[in-house]
Amino acid sequence: MALDGKPDVQSLSFDLSSRELRVVHTGEAASVVALLEPLRLGARIKDSVPMESDAGGVTYRSMFSVPKMDCPSEERLIRMALQDRGDVRSLSFDLSQRELAVVHQGDVEGILSRLQPLGLGAVLNGSPTVVSGQAAAQSQTDDAGEAKTLRLLLAINAVMFVFELTLGLWAQSTGLIADSLDMFADAAVYGLALYAVGKAASMKVRAAHLAGWLQLLLALGALAEVVRRFVVGSEPESALMVGVGLVALVANAACLVLIAKKRDSGVHMKASYIFSANDVIANIGVIVAGGLVAWTASPYPDLVIGTIIGIVVLNGARRILKLS
């Protein structure tokens, strides 16, 4: 906020673990520090180096409203959809306002044509504004602390996917099977984020499509299992549903705690926090379904939960496969 509206500041890149801020700007660095000093955060210039100017062309800042951008997979989809556009200089996400700022050269319609197929409702807010001086450069610095957190999240979700799927089949619970696929969806998001680092744009898209197809097949399999059990009948083990649901709840709560420590290090981690919070709610749904199965002696609560979670995972796969 202290630097908001300052015309010679074109991009900010934060590394919370190293307590560093990278500012791409024109003018003197001292003028930037002068705005940071009143915040009493101990800001000082660590280094200041010139950057090469853009090879011609006007640089714009375009604001997009993205009303359905509410989880880390959707932010990652947007980044990947725009990754191979050489005229895109930086992306800035505001999850609370569902907005995306793109610093770019060239026609804004080309960017909008990449965003609209994602099905997130992206629209251009107003006209692009010209960025004076150097265009903002997108930072490629990897946050080691965030990467470590993502690896832990990937490990937890991968283990829980196998655990829930195995016991879900044993317990004849479509709710547990579908929830295991939700774990797989989370693991795919975190794994893709780690795998894509340093890779070419085409490789990132291929990796996304591979995860999307696998997620699609698993979701269709879960929904087919719901239909099969609805037709031939099932006797879900309510005690096992509740027990495994509690284990999954603990796992997702641990993920929530890990992300909470990093949620201020970037919008991606903030979105991951919201995503994991939704997973906790889904786990509670499975536990409640298990209780209702025991209370009513009916498999229908399990079938309803399995259907809802299966549709959510299916929709996530659809969005990934829209990438080009």
Side-chain angles (χ1 to χ4, degrees), residues 75-271:
E75 180 193 344
R76 182 59 56 182
L77 291 181
I78 291 174
R79 289 188 182 278
M80 294 178 64
L82 300 176
Q83 185 68 37
D84 62 345
R85 287 192 62 93
D87 59 339
V88 173
R89 298 292 179 261
S90 71
L91 303 175
S92 178
F93 295 83
D94 186 338
L95 191 64
S96 62
Q97 300 297 320
R98 304 293 193 270
E99 290 183 345
L100 165 66
V102 183
V103 175
H104 64 96
Q105 293 179 318
D107 192 355
V108 70
E109 293 300 326
I111 296 174
L112 192 58
S113 68
R114 292 292 186 91
L115 297 177
Q116 287 177 335
L118 300 180
L120 301 177
V123 294
L124 180 64
N125 279 349
S127 302
T129 57
V130 176
V131 177
S132 60
Q134 293 175 306
Q138 183 176 3
S139 173
Q140 301 297 327
T141 303
D142 181 47
D143 185 339
E146 180 179 329
K148 180 180 179 181
T149 300
L150 287 173
R151 290 189 187 96
L152 286 172
L153 294 172
L154 172 59
I156 291 173
N157 281 276
V159 169
M160 286 305 303
F161 162 63
V162 176
F163 177 70
E164 274 199 287
L165 180 61
T166 302
L167 293 186
L169 292 171
W170 186 19
Q172 300 185 42
S173 170
T174 59
L176 284 178
I177 293 172
D179 195 50
S180 73
L181 301 185
D182 188 49
M183 289 286 190
F184 171 81
D186 291 355
V189 168
Y190 300 130
L192 185 59
L194 287 170
Y195 175 78
V197 173
K199 299 294 191 302
S202 59
M203 181 64 72
K204 294 180 181 181
V205 173
R206 286 198 292 269
H209 283 180
L210 178 60
W213 281 115
L214 183 54
Q215 188 171 320
L216 176 66
L217 290 174
L218 290 172
L220 290 175
L223 292 174
E225 183 68 7
V226 170
V227 174
R228 189 186 73 82
R229 293 186 185 278
F230 180 81
V231 174
V232 304
S234 64
E235 296 181 2
E237 296 287 342
S238 59
L240 196 54
M241 284 180 63
V242 174
V244 177
L246 286 172
V247 174
L249 180 61
V250 171
N252 274 321
C255 291
L256 202 60
V257 172
L258 287 170
I259 297 174
K261 296 177 181 179
K262 290 286 183 181
R263 60 176 171 173
D264 292 328
S265 64
V267 177
H268 173 66
M269 299 305 289
K270 185 185 295 182

